[in-house]
Amino acid sequence: MEQRPKKLMEQVQDAIRLKHYSYKTEKSYVGWIRRYIFFHDKRHPKDMGSAEIEAFLTHLAVEEKVAASTQNQALNAILFLYKEVLKQDLDLKVDAVRAKSSKYLPTVLTKDEVFAIIKQLSGVHQLLIKLLYGTGLRLNECLSLRVKDVDFAQEQIIVRDTKGNESRVTMLPESIAEELKIHLQSVKILHQQDLQKGYGSVYLPFALERKYSRAKYDWIWQFVFPSGSISQDPRSGEVSRHHLHESSLQKALKQAVRQAGIQKKVSCHTFRHSFATHLLQNGYDIRTVQELLGHKDVKTTMIYTHVLNRGGKAVRSPLD
């Protein structure tokens, strides 16, 4: 039986998975490409080019008033479509109206504020926030940790699912090592129960499952923070236990911030900002902080020096 030709969006998904992009990126790119096509009355992208891309990006900036980062994400998705799927090299000079970049300074908590929030949390949610603040991990990096990535002997954590897919090493805070060990004991019991029920597999990155067919059942590959329920993988269709969903922690954090009486806009990423700022306040050099955060360019890390130099203790008010 002759196979039907793959639809455009199926080709996009295949190309994304071939590049080992995350499922989150896949959903984002597919969403932007759909919007681009629908904006131009469902015309096929191969029949469009620079003018249509410029019109779409201008619409996003002028009509929808999106942030510069959002407009760039849309552009990246469309360029991926042309380069990786349609195999068209666009000599693209985008003259679209560009969304205005904001001069963003991150929200940073004081140490007292950090511990006030932590005090309002319990269980896995408290442990996660301690890790975010104590290691500088991004939320997705923390949730994606595997058992093998936590090195108690060396007091370090190996971060693998990073932006750009480049591994790095950060510290394992001594103050939570024992708590993390106890947590992993309960996770191991859960994994053993899953195995007894005929489950116990986990998603493996970069097609490792084809190379090591039984590795997905191994303890070392399990997530440190597994989901409370078993679910179907949206890509493979296999029923397995994924890691905890980010919304679970976000909801708990929102409530904790309210209960702690913190009058700042706090997200999970705020603890990464606070980690970096407090290290600089403690006298660590910016290159060390850059390495721990996994920033490719030190200019990205420099934002925290701006936080240190603005207001507060840096400039004495004339009123004083």
Side-chain angles (χ1 to χ4, degrees), residues 183-199:
H183 167 75
L184 284 172
Q185 287 171 6
S186 64
V187 174
K188 192 168 189 176
I189 292 170
L190 180 65
H191 175 55
Q192 289 167 344
Q193 291 172 346
D194 284 348
L195 288 171
Q196 289 167 5
K197 293 174 184 175
Y199 300 113

Side-chain angles (χ1 to χ4, degrees), residues 151-275:
D151 188 338
F152 290 102
Q154 299 291 328
E155 297 183 340
Q156 65 184 23
I157 291 174
I158 302 166
V159 192
R160 301 185 193 277
D161 294 332
T162 68
K163 273 188 173 181
N165 290 323
E166 291 184 6
S167 297
R168 72 178 191 277
V169 175
T170 189
M171 73 284 280
L172 170 60
E174 194 178 322
S175 58
I176 63 168
E178 199 58 38
E179 187 180 349
L180 191 54
K181 284 180 183 177
I182 293 168
H183 167 75
L184 284 172
Q185 287 171 6
S186 64
V187 174
K188 192 168 189 176
I189 292 170
L190 180 65
H191 175 55
Q192 289 167 344
Q193 291 172 346
D194 284 348
L195 288 171
Q196 289 167 5
K197 293 174 184 175
Y199 300 113
S201 67
V202 71
Y203 161 76
L204 295 183
F206 308 123
L208 282 174
E209 189 177 331
R210 288 200 295 272
K211 191 174 182 180
Y212 307 107
S213 60
R214 298 296 302 174
K216 63 183 178 181
Y217 297 103
D218 289 349
W219 164 238
I220 62 168
W221 281 101
Q222 302 306 307
F223 289 113
V224 174
F225 298 102
S227 170
S229 59
I230 288 172
S231 59
Q232 188 177 46
D233 188 289
R235 287 177 163 179
S236 67
E238 185 170 356
V239 176
S240 60
R241 193 179 291 277
H242 200 54
H243 60 64
L244 194 70
H245 196 273
E246 58 189 32
S247 63
S248 170
L249 179 60
Q250 288 165 341
K251 288 173 186 174
L253 176 61
K254 188 176 181 180
Q255 186 177 350
V257 171
R258 192 184 307 118
Q259 290 172 338
I262 306 298
Q263 303 299 310
K264 292 179 179 178
K265 188 178 179 182
V266 179
S267 69
C268 292
H269 211 66
T270 304
F271 295 92
R272 176 173 162 89
H273 296 320
S274 303
F275 164 85

Side-chain angles (χ1 to χ4, degrees), residues 15-55:
I16 290 171
R17 292 171 191 183
L18 189 65
K19 293 280 186 182
H20 303 299
Y21 288 178
S22 71
Y23 183 58
K24 196 173 181 180
T25 301
E26 179 181 321
K27 287 199 297 182
S28 173
Y29 274 27
V30 167
W32 281 120
I33 291 167
R34 282 188 204 273
R35 286 180 65 176
Y36 169 62
I37 292 170
F38 275 83
F39 178 77
H40 289 294
D41 300 320
K42 299 184 182 179
R43 286 171 62 196
H44 197 287
K46 69 182 180 184
D47 299 324
M48 298 189 281
S50 299
E52 287 79 10
I53 296 172
E54 288 171 7

